[in-house]
Amino acid sequence: MIENENEEQEIQEQTECSEEEKSVESEESAKTEENASVDSEKSLEERISELEKENAELKDKYLRSVADFQNLRKRSLQEKQDAYDYANTNLLKDLLDSLDNFDRTVEAASTANDAKSIADGVTMINKNMVSMLENKYNLVSYGTVGDAFDPDIHEAIGKSDDPVDEPVIKAVYLKGYKLKDRVIRHAKVMVSMPSEKSE
């Protein structure tokens, strides 16, 4: 009986000991969970903070990119407008010399006794201007009497039946001009057409 009591007491002590251990373990587990929860909250807060910072940086980069693009667009439009507004600056500078020469000729004409000297001055100005336009700007005049008529570059404003084999220019009313290979003004001409009698 005493043995049974001792055994019961030992079992009871073991049970109490195991309950204490369980209690300690559960307290430790609760602390661990609490620490994990706190760590988890901290890491979430840190992650949220990092994401907010990254978001702010990306937003700033985006706004800067938009501003740069708008500035580039405005600058491009301004440069395009300037190019359009001042495209003829070099040509006009070159024409100023001819204009100055015309002014001198007009002044000389008021005191000149000789019409030939005035005509010579105008002829000289004409030659200089034509030379400058041809050599510097590739502007070429065309359309002379006797050339074959080409409806792509000539504008016929009249015709006459003549003893010719094919249509040719009989008279030039207004010269045509080409800028390089492009016609910028058609020559206005009178055309000699083959007469029915010659056929």
Side-chain angles (χ1 to χ4, degrees), residues 67-112:
D68 288 345
F69 176 74
Q70 288 175 344
N71 289 338
L72 177 66
R73 187 171 166 264
K74 286 178 187 174
R75 191 167 48 248
S76 296
L77 288 172
Q78 184 62 46
E79 287 173 359
K80 185 178 178 182
Q81 186 62 43
D82 286 348
Y84 178 77
D85 289 343
Y86 302 107
N88 297 323
T89 301
N90 290 334
L91 172 63
L92 294 173
K93 282 181 181 177
D94 289 335
L95 289 176
L96 289 176
D97 288 338
S98 297
L99 187 60
D100 291 340
N101 288 335
F102 274 118
D103 288 341
R104 288 187 203 100
T105 303
V106 169
E107 284 177 20
S110 63
T111 59

Side-chain angles (χ1 to χ4, degrees), residues 130-141 177-182 184:
V130 167
S131 174
M132 179 266 297
L133 291 173
E134 286 179 352
N135 296 330
K136 196 165 184 181
Y137 295 97
N138 298 312
L139 183 71
V140 179
S141 64
Y177 286 93
K178 289 182 182 179
L179 182 59
K180 297 187 179 179
D181 293 331
R182 183 183 292 178
I184 61 171

Side-chain angles (χ1 to χ4, degrees), residues 151-162:
D152 291 333
I153 61 172
H154 299 114
E155 182 181 336
I157 58 171
K159 67 174 187 165
S160 66
D161 292 332
D162 292 308

